[in-house]
Amino acid sequence: MARYIFITGGVVSSLGKGLASAALGALLQARGYSVRLRKLDPYLNVDPGTMSPFEHGEVFVTDDGAETDLDLGHYERFTGVSARKTDSISSGRIYSNVLEKERRGDYLGKTIQVIPHVTNEIKDFLRVGETEVDFMLCEIGGTVGDIEGLPFFEAIRQFIHERPRGECILMHLTLLPYLAASGELKTKPTQHSVKELQSIGLAPDVLLLRSEHPIPEKEREKIALFCNVRKDAVIAAYDLKTIYEAPLAYHREGLDQAVLNAFGIEPAPKPNLSRWEDVMDRLMNAEGEVRVAIVGKYTQLEDAYKSIAEALTHGGMANRTRVKAEWIDAEIFEREDTAPHLERFHAILVPGGFGERGTEGKIKAAQYARTKGIPYLGICLGMQMAVIEAARNLAGLADAGSEEFDHEAGAKRFTPVVYHLKEWVQGNHVVARKVGDDKGGTMRLGAYNATLKAGSRVAQVYGTTEIEERHRHRYEVDTQYRDKLESCGLIFSGMSPDGRLPEIVEAKDHPWYIGVQFHPELKSKPFQPHPLFADFIRAAKEKSRLV
């Protein structure tokens, strides 16, 4: 049976619970334990799939097709454990499940209440897969005291009470603010946060304190005394140069040892941190630098492209090269020439997105990369923009565009080289979709296989002709234009196994020009960079030497 670690936060949000959870998972792995990480989000959306990237950052997609919180990306990048649908839950999903059961009559006419029906549903979720791993790390979104989070905290209280003693611990992350006027760190917010936890029947075993300044010994002693926590379980979490320093930094501060002590695991296995030492060596001792332009529409919030930013860093690690990514709003190119903005970059990446806004700018960025011989990686919508650009400027289809934009505008304006995907094969059955379907969870989601053309650039990059990648889209490039586009030099080098859906296109006579319908960034890890990103940065490095 798994031991459970519940990670909560207090004082303010966005302190880094997800990163702390991921780093702790990596440290437990380094000591030889198996782990799984979960996220419990109190919001009422069923999942983040229909949320604006400005609201919630990127949507992370799992192999089995769940649209989840971006923290699951941290979990995967740090532990290498592929997340599943059962690793992400929201209040919306919990209430939806409870109400479905009530409508079916599963509760035999009982009055449905938060306790026990909602809390029981949460506890059932916590138990899924508990025999598979040594440690289950469960992060609760938001901060203690949030009204929407109370059912989760109550469910955890019950869960801990029902398990044998010593099988569950609580790790609480708080902020230690520094008052410049008095020149001191203030412990009172942490004390109040712990008091709030204790008022709902929970007591932290480990305290993780975010601070920009060193925490004096007397402050640690004071916190340990007032919060009823052992002094060696009061751990400092300082700001880091890079998130990948977190496992080594937390280990230096004694986080993993404090957690194992709380479980009474003594003596604990010694950690092997060579993987993270190598990651830091590659990051801190990079040779040279490349500049990559990310031309997108959600550039005001970098979390909207979190996995892409990290995958570029991983690609840099693979080449011992520092990657300087800059975000450029695609709409600028609808008003201004692309050259002054893009000529200083060694590579261009156009990421995914939804809606017509900014797409003409993305098309111009793709054209600039193609005509100037600059390495180009188009992801999802970025691939579709590359196809539309080639259709317009090489194949003579001046009004080429996407059905998505016509649907959005309510008028037919384009020749649809990109169309709404109405059916596809998933496993051994066919999935059908209509334009008017609900938006949530109705895309082509999760891992699908693709077959690569032998001898193509992507086959060389992957080192195989059979791959599996994660998808999140409802529009697809139309194969009826394939012959016309291939005759102009845009090769369809990756297809779905049944040959119906284009997965990858590449420019024939170009140093590196690839568009992919899937999201390779979701599978990249610091200790295992995705081959496409590794080769993309290699090509950018070559370009930097020519400039």
Side-chain angles (χ1 to χ4, degrees):
M1 298 285 278
R3 293 180 171 95
Y4 281 79
I5 304 168
F6 295 102
I7 299 101
T8 60
V11 186
V12 295
S13 59
S14 301
L15 277 179
K17 289 195 305 297
L19 180 59
S21 304
L24 177 56
L27 287 173
L28 291 170
Q29 281 183 325
R31 289 180 180 266
Y33 296 108
S34 58
V35 300
R36 179 161 288 284
L37 288 95
R38 296 214 155 124
K39 181 74 185 285
L40 293 78
D41 271 309
Y43 53 70
L44 283 173
N45 304 65
V46 171
D47 61 42
T50 55
M51 288 191 205
S52 162
F54 294 123
E55 284 276 327
H56 206 68
E58 76 169 3
V59 174
F60 189 82
V61 180
T62 61
D63 280 335
D64 55 4
E67 294 177 288
T68 71
D69 186 85
L70 60 81
D71 276 332
L72 270 75
H74 284 315
Y75 303 164
E76 280 205 21
R77 283 188 284 273
F78 277 76
T79 66
V81 177
S82 291
R84 301 193 292 230
K85 281 182 179 179
T86 52
D87 294 332
S88 178
I89 201 79
S90 68
S91 289
R93 173 66 70 193
I94 292 291
Y95 283 107
S96 177
N97 290 352
V98 168
L99 293 173
E100 282 172 17
K101 289 179 179 180
E102 186 272 334
R103 292 289 82 186
R104 284 200 307 264
D106 291 6
Y107 296 119
L108 303 175
K110 285 189 171 67
T111 301
I112 310 307
Q113 297 177 288
V114 172
I115 303 171
H117 301 99
V118 170
T119 51
N120 283 349
E121 192 72 25
I122 294 169
K123 288 188 289 184
D124 288 344
F125 164 74
L126 293 173
R127 291 188 193 101
V128 174
E130 66 180 1
T131 60
E132 299 173 9
V133 293
D134 299 317
F135 287 96
M136 195 79 79
L137 287 74
C138 304
E139 176 196 347
I140 296 87
T143 53
V144 62
D146 294 346
I147 191 167
E148 61 265 37
L150 287 174
F152 285 105
F153 288 112
E154 171 59 21
I156 289 165
R157 186 196 67 77
Q158 294 176 19
F159 188 86
I160 293 172
H161 185 67
E162 291 163 8
R163 306 284 286 199
R165 190 181 296 275
E167 278 197 8
C168 303
I169 69 164
L170 192 75
M171 184 171 94
H172 192 53
L173 179 65
T174 71
L175 176 68
L176 230 58
Y178 178 79
L179 289 189
S182 60
E184 59 183 347
L185 290 166
K186 304 306 288 184
T187 65
K188 196 62 74 177
T190 294
Q191 293 176 47
H192 279 295
S193 184
V194 171
K195 190 176 179 183
E196 185 76 31
L197 258 185
Q198 290 169 337
S199 73
I200 51 180
L202 293 169
D205 299 280
V206 177
L207 274 178
L208 198 54
L209 308 175
R210 278 302 303 272
S211 175
E212 295 176 354
H213 297 266
I215 304 173
E217 201 64 20
K218 66 182 180 66
E219 256 69 31
R220 292 192 196 224
E221 290 172 358
K222 183 178 179 182
I223 288 167
L225 181 65
F226 280 89
C227 297
N228 199 31
V229 174
R230 291 166 59 107
K231 188 179 152 219
D232 60 4
V234 177
I235 308 297
Y238 298 121
D239 292 352
L240 305 171
K241 294 188 186 77
T242 165
I243 61 171
Y244 299 115
E245 193 184 348
L248 296 175
Y250 283 135
H251 175 68
R252 283 195 303 270
E253 292 296 326
L255 175 62
D256 47 332
Q257 189 62 55
V259 165
L260 295 171
N261 288 346
F263 280 113
I265 300 173
E266 294 176 11
K270 292 281 188 288
N272 176 2
L273 295 167
S274 56
R275 167 188 277 183
W276 293 102
E277 287 161 355
D278 179 60
V279 164
M280 284 305 296
D281 177 55
R282 288 175 176 276
L283 262 179
M284 306 315 292
N285 299 306
E287 300 157 6
E289 179 179 281
V290 295
R291 295 187 298 276
V292 178
I294 303 175
V295 182
K297 63 186 287 187
Y298 310 118
T299 52
Q300 298 95 318
L301 182 70
E302 289 187 17
D303 271 359
Y305 300 120
K306 187 65 178 171
S307 289
I308 285 175
E310 298 309 323
L312 285 170
T313 301
H314 307 161
M317 289 182 198
N319 292 278
R320 282 198 176 270
T321 301
R322 189 174 296 104
V323 177
K324 189 176 181 189
E326 290 188 33
W327 314 84
I328 299 177
D329 190 338
E331 289 183 274
I332 289 173
F333 300 146
E334 294 172 13
R335 305 184 298 271
E336 301 175 23
D337 183 31
T338 51
H341 293 279
L342 295 178
E343 62 190 4
R344 59 196 176 87
F345 291 100
H346 305 124
I348 296 169
L349 189 151
V350 175
F354 297 92
E356 188 174 1
R357 182 174 68 81
T359 52
E360 290 299 322
K362 291 182 179 185
I363 289 166
K364 285 183 178 175
Q367 181 182 10
Y368 183 86
R370 181 181 60 79
T371 55
K372 301 293 184 183
I374 297 173
Y376 175 88
L377 176 57
I379 295 173
C380 199
L381 185 66
M383 166 185 165
Q384 296 171 9
M385 297 303 96
V387 170
I388 290 170
E389 189 278 321
R392 288 181 185 179
N393 298 315
L394 296 177
L397 294 169
D399 61 347
S402 172
E403 261 191 351
E404 179 179 6
F405 312 147
D406 281 349
H407 291 156
E408 189 179 3
K412 189 175 187 319
R413 299 164 295 157
F414 297 114
T415 296
V417 296
V418 177
Y419 70 100
H420 182 269
L421 188 58
K422 294 171 182 63
E423 65 175 48
W424 64 89
V425 175
Q426 184 175 19
N428 55 7
H429 68 282
V430 174
V431 180
R433 291 282 182 259
K434 299 189 295 293
V435 173
D437 284 350
D438 289 346
K439 292 286 183 275
T442 57
M443 287 182 274
R444 186 174 181 234
L445 288 165
Y448 288 87
N449 294 328
T451 302
L452 310 184
K453 187 174 182 179
S456 63
R457 178 177 289 280
V458 288
Q460 292 168 7
V461 168
Y462 277 97
T464 180
T465 54
E466 299 296 327
I467 62 169
E468 183 187 79
E469 294 283 2
R470 295 177 190 172
H471 295 66
R472 184 178 183 249
H473 63 104
R474 58 170 61 89
Y475 289 86
E476 184 76 58
V477 172
D478 196 333
T479 51
Q480 71 170 301
Y481 299 99
R482 177 176 179 173
D483 291 344
K484 199 163 196 173
L485 287 164
E486 290 203 322
S487 68
C488 300
L490 193 70
I491 309 303
F492 285 54
S493 55
M495 300 290 292
S496 59
D498 60 6
R500 294 172 60 190
L501 304 177
E503 294 278 12
I504 306 174
V505 296
E506 59 183 67
K508 190 176 181 183
D509 298 314
H510 191 282
W512 209 99
Y513 190 93
I514 292 174
V516 297
Q517 186 56 69
F518 45 83
H519 289 270
E521 70 274 17
L522 299 178
K523 286 196 165 189
S524 189
K525 301 168 186 70
F527 43 82
Q528 191 181 353
H530 192 283
L532 273 174
F533 280 90
D535 206 59
F536 179 55
I537 298 303
R538 180 203 58 76
K541 197 173 177 180
E542 289 291 318
K543 183 69 178 176
S544 72
R545 288 171 178 157
L546 298 173
V547 174

